[in-house]
Amino acid sequence: MKVGQAVSVPAEVLERTGGRPVSSIVYDEATIAERVRELGMAITEGIPDGELLVLGLLKGSFIFLSDLVRQVRRPLQVDFLVASSYGKGKVSSGDVRLLYDPETELEGKDILLVEDIVDTGRTLSRLMDLLKARNPRSLEICALLHKHVAHDLKYSTKFVGFDAPNEFLVGYGLDHAENFRHIPYIASLQ
Ligand code: IMP
Ligand code: MG
């Protein structure tokens, strides 16, 4: 299947959503798995030495991160950050709060911040400022999806899974008001 191509939603997805409308599948399971494998290789080659700490931004990255770290062929540690930004809306508020701070020491480590999707980039910008202040040896971002809507992003995303359409996407960890995270595909609510 061509990346970004919309296909109709199978009955098994509607079963998981309780029949709620998820209009089209944007990235199917096989497409995601293949791209995650490629990202794992790129990270293995792109961060060859140092103490790699993969920091997953919860909750959206939980499925992506668990698949991704299994595709990275080098020693690494995993920790998480919990931030809250959207609440129940579909529009980014820019109000980012840190609800959980990683316990792992960040100083001197090569940190890879893993995010589900970059939309306005406000969440990332806020978190990157915060992480930078802890003196890591290096700090990079890996995002499964990037909407490329903001043109004045303070930090670039070194590892991007897919250049996503500017639509509200759910599944594979992404939610709308905490629903749809468990859909094994990425679907559009448009
Ligand atoms: P940003 O601060 O505008 O870049 O928003 C980033 C965060 O908003 C992501 O980590 C997601 O949790 C959420 N988000 C942005 N776009 C979407 C979307 O299309 N679907 C689900 N969540 C989204
Ligand atoms: Mg969210």
Side-chain angles (χ1 to χ4, degrees), residues 18 35 42 69 73 101 108 115 120-121 128 134 138 179 188:
R35 189 66 192 121
V69 291
R73 307 288 162 100
D101 209 329
E115 164 78 305
T120 65
M128 289 291 279
R134 312 240 175 120
S138 68
N179 293 306
S188 172

PDB file of all heavy atoms in Angstrom, residues 18 35 42 69 73 101 108 115 120-121 128 134 138 179 188:
ATOM      1  N   GLY A  18     -15.923   0.823  18.851  1.00  0.00           N
ATOM      2  CA  GLY A  18     -17.331   0.795  19.249  1.00  0.00           C
ATOM      3  C   GLY A  18     -18.196   1.443  18.185  1.00  0.00           C
ATOM      4  O   GLY A  18     -19.219   2.041  18.482  1.00  0.00           O
ATOM      5  N   ARG A  35       8.606   0.853   8.397  1.00  0.00           N
ATOM      6  CA  ARG A  35       9.226   2.160   8.650  1.00  0.00           C
ATOM      7  C   ARG A  35       9.917   2.187  10.025  1.00  0.00           C
ATOM      8  O   ARG A  35      10.985   2.780  10.175  1.00  0.00           O
ATOM      9  CB  ARG A  35       8.147   3.260   8.556  1.00  0.00           C
ATOM     10  CG  ARG A  35       8.693   4.654   8.589  1.00  0.00           C
ATOM     11  CD  ARG A  35       9.534   4.988   7.358  1.00  0.00           C
ATOM     12  NE  ARG A  35      10.261   6.223   7.576  1.00  0.00           N
ATOM     13  CZ  ARG A  35      11.586   6.343   7.526  1.00  0.00           C
ATOM     14  NH1 ARG A  35      12.348   5.306   7.238  1.00  0.00           N
ATOM     15  NH2 ARG A  35      12.157   7.505   7.758  1.00  0.00           N
ATOM     16  N   ALA A  42      18.430   3.400  11.370  1.00  0.00           N
ATOM     17  CA  ALA A  42      18.981   4.766  11.280  1.00  0.00           C
ATOM     18  C   ALA A  42      19.499   5.232  12.640  1.00  0.00           C
ATOM     19  O   ALA A  42      20.538   5.898  12.723  1.00  0.00           O
ATOM     20  CB  ALA A  42      17.915   5.724  10.753  1.00  0.00           C
ATOM     21  N   VAL A  69      12.430   0.498  20.091  1.00  0.00           N
ATOM     22  CA  VAL A  69      13.640   0.081  20.827  1.00  0.00           C
ATOM     23  C   VAL A  69      14.041  -1.353  20.488  1.00  0.00           C
ATOM     24  O   VAL A  69      15.217  -1.696  20.534  1.00  0.00           O
ATOM     25  CB  VAL A  69      13.532   0.256  22.371  1.00  0.00           C
ATOM     26  CG1 VAL A  69      13.514   1.731  22.733  1.00  0.00           C
ATOM     27  CG2 VAL A  69      12.345  -0.473  22.953  1.00  0.00           C
ATOM     28  N   ARG A  73      19.873  -1.840  17.420  1.00  0.00           N
ATOM     29  CA  ARG A  73      20.865  -2.895  17.709  1.00  0.00           C
ATOM     30  C   ARG A  73      22.095  -2.320  18.389  1.00  0.00           C
ATOM     31  O   ARG A  73      23.190  -2.320  17.806  1.00  0.00           O
ATOM     32  CB  ARG A  73      21.260  -3.600  16.396  1.00  0.00           C
ATOM     33  CG  ARG A  73      20.103  -4.130  15.585  1.00  0.00           C
ATOM     34  CD  ARG A  73      19.500  -5.347  16.284  1.00  0.00           C
ATOM     35  NE  ARG A  73      18.168  -5.622  15.771  1.00  0.00           N
ATOM     36  CZ  ARG A  73      17.885  -6.543  14.867  1.00  0.00           C
ATOM     37  NH1 ARG A  73      18.847  -7.260  14.346  1.00  0.00           N
ATOM     38  NH2 ARG A  73      16.646  -6.737  14.475  1.00  0.00           N
ATOM     39  N   ASP A 101       8.767  13.373  35.599  1.00  0.00           N
ATOM     40  CA  ASP A 101      10.118  13.735  35.235  1.00  0.00           C
ATOM     41  C   ASP A 101      10.952  12.452  35.263  1.00  0.00           C
ATOM     42  O   ASP A 101      10.815  11.687  36.203  1.00  0.00           O
ATOM     43  CB  ASP A 101      10.604  14.695  36.341  1.00  0.00           C
ATOM     44  CG  ASP A 101      11.621  15.670  35.826  1.00  0.00           C
ATOM     45  OD1 ASP A 101      12.352  15.303  34.911  1.00  0.00           O
ATOM     46  OD2 ASP A 101      11.686  16.789  36.371  1.00  0.00           O
ATOM     47  N   GLY A 108      25.493  13.962  30.530  1.00  0.00           N
ATOM     48  CA  GLY A 108      26.510  13.168  29.835  1.00  0.00           C
ATOM     49  C   GLY A 108      25.950  12.091  28.917  1.00  0.00           C
ATOM     50  O   GLY A 108      26.673  11.439  28.174  1.00  0.00           O
ATOM     51  N   GLU A 115       8.715  10.944  20.324  1.00  0.00           N
ATOM     52  CA  GLU A 115       7.412  11.610  20.341  1.00  0.00           C
ATOM     53  C   GLU A 115       6.511  10.924  19.312  1.00  0.00           C
ATOM     54  O   GLU A 115       7.000  10.439  18.291  1.00  0.00           O
ATOM     55  CB  GLU A 115       7.689  13.087  19.994  1.00  0.00           C
ATOM     56  CG  GLU A 115       6.546  13.957  19.579  1.00  0.00           C
ATOM     57  CD  GLU A 115       5.682  14.442  20.720  1.00  0.00           C
ATOM     58  OE1 GLU A 115       5.204  13.595  21.474  1.00  0.00           O
ATOM     59  OE2 GLU A 115       5.448  15.668  20.812  1.00  0.00           O
ATOM     60  N   THR A 120       2.316  21.488  16.167  1.00  0.00           N
ATOM     61  CA  THR A 120       2.853  22.860  16.236  1.00  0.00           C
ATOM     62  C   THR A 120       4.303  22.855  16.709  1.00  0.00           C
ATOM     63  O   THR A 120       5.013  23.854  16.541  1.00  0.00           O
ATOM     64  CB  THR A 120       2.044  23.723  17.229  1.00  0.00           C
ATOM     65  OG1 THR A 120       2.226  23.173  18.542  1.00  0.00           O
ATOM     66  CG2 THR A 120       0.580  23.757  16.892  1.00  0.00           C
ATOM     67  N   GLY A 121       4.742  21.768  17.351  1.00  0.00           N
ATOM     68  CA  GLY A 121       6.106  21.681  17.867  1.00  0.00           C
ATOM     69  C   GLY A 121       6.276  22.342  19.223  1.00  0.00           C
ATOM     70  O   GLY A 121       7.365  22.342  19.782  1.00  0.00           O
ATOM     71  N   MET A 128      12.451  20.184  25.079  1.00  0.00           N
ATOM     72  CA  MET A 128      13.861  20.216  24.678  1.00  0.00           C
ATOM     73  C   MET A 128      14.621  21.255  25.495  1.00  0.00           C
ATOM     74  O   MET A 128      15.745  21.000  25.925  1.00  0.00           O
ATOM     75  CB  MET A 128      13.982  20.508  23.182  1.00  0.00           C
ATOM     76  CG  MET A 128      13.529  19.370  22.294  1.00  0.00           C
ATOM     77  SD  MET A 128      14.606  17.931  22.364  1.00  0.00           S
ATOM     78  CE  MET A 128      15.901  18.452  21.243  1.00  0.00           C
ATOM     79  N   ARG A 134      19.775  20.038  31.443  1.00  0.00           N
ATOM     80  CA  ARG A 134      20.340  18.968  32.289  1.00  0.00           C
ATOM     81  C   ARG A 134      21.675  18.459  31.761  1.00  0.00           C
ATOM     82  O   ARG A 134      22.166  17.419  32.181  1.00  0.00           O
ATOM     83  CB  ARG A 134      19.345  17.808  32.377  1.00  0.00           C
ATOM     84  CG  ARG A 134      17.945  18.263  32.708  1.00  0.00           C
ATOM     85  CD  ARG A 134      17.423  17.661  33.982  1.00  0.00           C
ATOM     86  NE  ARG A 134      16.134  18.227  34.299  1.00  0.00           N
ATOM     87  CZ  ARG A 134      15.014  17.518  34.417  1.00  0.00           C
ATOM     88  NH1 ARG A 134      15.048  16.215  34.254  1.00  0.00           N
ATOM     89  NH2 ARG A 134      13.887  18.105  34.722  1.00  0.00           N
ATOM     90  N   SER A 138      24.402  14.661  24.046  1.00  0.00           N
ATOM     91  CA  SER A 138      23.690  15.041  22.818  1.00  0.00           C
ATOM     92  C   SER A 138      22.201  14.874  23.058  1.00  0.00           C
ATOM     93  O   SER A 138      21.786  14.168  23.983  1.00  0.00           O
ATOM     94  CB  SER A 138      24.151  14.183  21.629  1.00  0.00           C
ATOM     95  OG  SER A 138      23.738  12.849  21.809  1.00  0.00           O
ATOM     96  N   ASN A 179      -9.219   8.066  23.615  1.00  0.00           N
ATOM     97  CA  ASN A 179      -9.730   6.924  22.866  1.00  0.00           C
ATOM     98  C   ASN A 179      -8.840   6.619  21.666  1.00  0.00           C
ATOM     99  O   ASN A 179      -8.050   7.463  21.253  1.00  0.00           O
ATOM    100  CB  ASN A 179     -11.156   7.203  22.376  1.00  0.00           C
ATOM    101  CG  ASN A 179     -12.120   7.304  23.535  1.00  0.00           C
ATOM    102  OD1 ASN A 179     -12.202   6.398  24.369  1.00  0.00           O
ATOM    103  ND2 ASN A 179     -12.817   8.413  23.622  1.00  0.00           N
ATOM    104  N   SER A 188      -7.339   8.473  10.228  1.00  0.00           N
ATOM    105  CA  SER A 188      -7.687   9.892  10.275  1.00  0.00           C
ATOM    106  C   SER A 188      -9.103  10.065  10.796  1.00  0.00           C
ATOM    107  O   SER A 188      -9.988   9.279  10.459  1.00  0.00           O
ATOM    108  CB  SER A 188      -7.571  10.482   8.880  1.00  0.00           C
ATOM    109  OG  SER A 188      -8.085  11.805   8.872  1.00  0.00           O
TER     110      SER A 188
END
